[in-house]
Amino acid sequence: MKIRVNGEDREVRPNLNLYELLIHLGLNPAHPGIAVAVDREVVPKTEWQTKGLRENSEVEIIRAVQGG
Amino acid sequence: MKQMPEFKIAEQPYQSRLLIGTAGYPNFHVMTQAIAASGAEIATVSMRRVKFTETSGENVFALLRELGIKILPNTAGCFTAKDAILTAHLAREALETTLIKLEVIGDEQTQFPDVAQLLTAAETLVKDGFTVLPYCNDDPITCKKLADIGCAAVMPLGAPIGSGMGIRNPYNIQIIRELVQVPLIVDAGVGTASDAAIAMELGCDGVLLNTAVAKAHRPVLMAEAMKKAVEAGRAAFLAGRIPRKLYATASSPQVGMIA
């Protein structure tokens, strides 16, 4: 299925959950300092394994960078 | 300066009245040294999309945590209340803090705040349980409204972000000081140490700066200068300056002179 991650279209297998997506993207879900929103709703870390993604889900994955 | 009244944000006391940004340093090492030299206990970060091509492991969150610095995420780059609110919620989840430096920018070139959007976002985020520190115009009415909404501080700009133009409207800062009870922090515009001292002499509770240190020829030395300026300005404010007068008043005795 097609989803959008950080503004880019990606083809992933159907019924992927958020946790699996992070692994698929090469991120370590245990790594502190990242947060995820799906369709503009923040998904708490505790719900990553149960949060299923759907066709056209919009995922934002963010972290802290240097800023003023 | 231990006798000075405490500086508190949302009941949390801080020794240092200087808040520092983490952007634009020549490298991580200089940034770390500059933060240490500044004595700041709070440092700002931005929230951005993870890049999946990234290989470098430089993690500002981990570094600041290691240094024991309190992290103040910002919503820089947001042009709408909606984006700023989502960014704040993401920051809270990612960084495990309710502190948020709320920025809603109205214009790319000036980086001036969009006041209407800022007030909307501030109201929502206060309701959502955030400790909201809004970057705002040096407008007393806006600051009063932000304080009334329940913001934990107000942070008017001294001059445009990164401009180094100093405190452009000291009279407004003075009026804001009289109008709001919450901490007043000048955020943006400071170019050198005297600017930070002026902000503090006007009665501000703190100064937030970044570019003046990060882009100085010697960032670590400038960080030290800013630390001293904030302390000196605060002491001068508490000491109470003499009134300005047009003509001289001799300070030496006027009697017992020769001839």
Side-chain angles (χ1 to χ4, degrees):
Chain A
M1 64 179 184
K2 197 187 78 184
I3 60 168
R4 229 173 142 71
V5 182
N6 286 358
E8 284 174 18
D9 289 335
R10 281 178 185 266
E11 200 54 43
V12 294
R13 72 166 170 79
N15 304 319
L16 200 70
N17 70 39
L18 200 47
Y19 187 89
E20 291 164 335
L21 174 69
L22 295 177
I23 303 274
H24 173 75
L25 293 169
L27 298 173
N28 176 3
H31 194 73
I34 63 170
V36 185
V38 177
D39 298 327
R40 298 190 66 90
E41 287 284 332
V42 176
V43 182
K45 286 184 184 75
T46 50
E47 292 170 22
W48 287 355
Q49 300 224 28
T50 53
K51 177 70 185 177
L53 298 169
R54 293 189 312 252
E55 181 84 25
N56 296 325
S57 284
E58 299 228 356
V59 182
E60 292 285 346
I61 308 169
I62 61 94
R63 89 265 190 237
V65 298
Q66 290 163 272
Chain B
M1 307 272 170
K2 286 187 182 70
Q3 79 280 13
M4 288 190 180
E6 271 185 335
F7 171 47
K8 284 186 183 177
I9 297 174
E11 300 304 311
Q12 172 73 43
Y14 297 94
Q15 295 295 315
S16 170
R17 291 170 178 271
L18 178 58
L19 294 79
I20 198 158
T22 57
Y25 294 84
N27 55 54
F28 249 46
H29 178 66
V30 172
M31 179 188 81
T32 307
Q33 284 190 311
I35 292 172
S38 76
E41 294 161 279
I42 300 175
T44 57
V45 298
S46 291
M47 307 310 298
R48 290 291 179 271
R49 284 171 167 170
V50 169
K51 289 181 198 148
F52 306 111
T53 49
E54 226 165 45
T55 47
S56 100
E58 282 191 346
N59 181 336
V60 69
F61 171 59
L63 176 74
L64 292 174
R65 269 216 311 206
E66 235 175 75
L67 295 172
I69 302 287
K70 190 152 250 186
I71 296 167
L72 172 57
N74 68 28
T75 63
C78 291
F79 282 78
T80 63
K82 203 175 133 204
D83 283 349
I85 291 164
L86 177 58
T87 302
H89 279 270
L90 283 164
R92 178 163 72 179
E93 177 66 18
L95 309 179
E96 293 157 19
T97 177
T98 59
L99 287 173
I100 191 78
K101 173 182 162 183
L102 179 61
E103 295 183 43
V104 190
I105 301 303
D107 169 63
E108 192 89 45
Q109 194 180 12
T110 60
Q111 297 276 313
F112 281 142
D114 181 322
V115 174
Q117 295 287 315
L118 179 69
L119 290 168
T120 304
E123 203 159 6
T124 302
L125 291 173
V126 168
K127 278 191 197 129
D128 291 347
F130 284 86
T131 299
V132 180
L133 312 178
Y135 155 71
C136 55
N137 297 75
D138 56 353
D139 166 29
I141 305 305
T142 302
C143 288
K144 178 79 167 54
K145 284 185 178 178
L146 288 164
D148 289 347
I149 282 169
C151 291
V154 291
M155 305 206 297
L157 52 86
I161 296 172
S163 70
M165 294 285 276
I167 313 300
R168 297 325 303 147
N169 198 338
Y171 305 105
N172 273 25
I173 299 293
Q174 218 175 328
I175 294 170
I176 294 165
R177 173 68 298 168
E178 287 177 22
L179 269 183
V180 306
Q181 306 302 313
V182 293
L184 166 59
I185 298 165
V186 159
D187 176 8
V190 167
T192 188
S194 53
D195 297 332
I198 287 169
M200 297 306 292
E201 286 169 17
L202 289 167
C204 292
D205 295 289
V207 173
L208 197 168
L209 55 85
N210 185 347
T211 310
V213 167
K215 299 295 186 194
H217 285 299
R218 296 173 66 183
V220 180
L221 190 56
M222 186 57 90
E224 194 188 325
M226 290 299 184
K227 176 182 195 270
K228 290 174 176 168
V230 166
E231 286 173 1
R234 179 66 185 171
F237 170 72
L238 293 176
R241 62 153 299 144
I242 60 161
R244 289 183 170 88
K245 286 183 296 187
L246 190 57
Y247 292 102
T249 306
S251 47
S252 303
Q254 298 301 291
V255 293
M257 289 166 297
I258 57 163

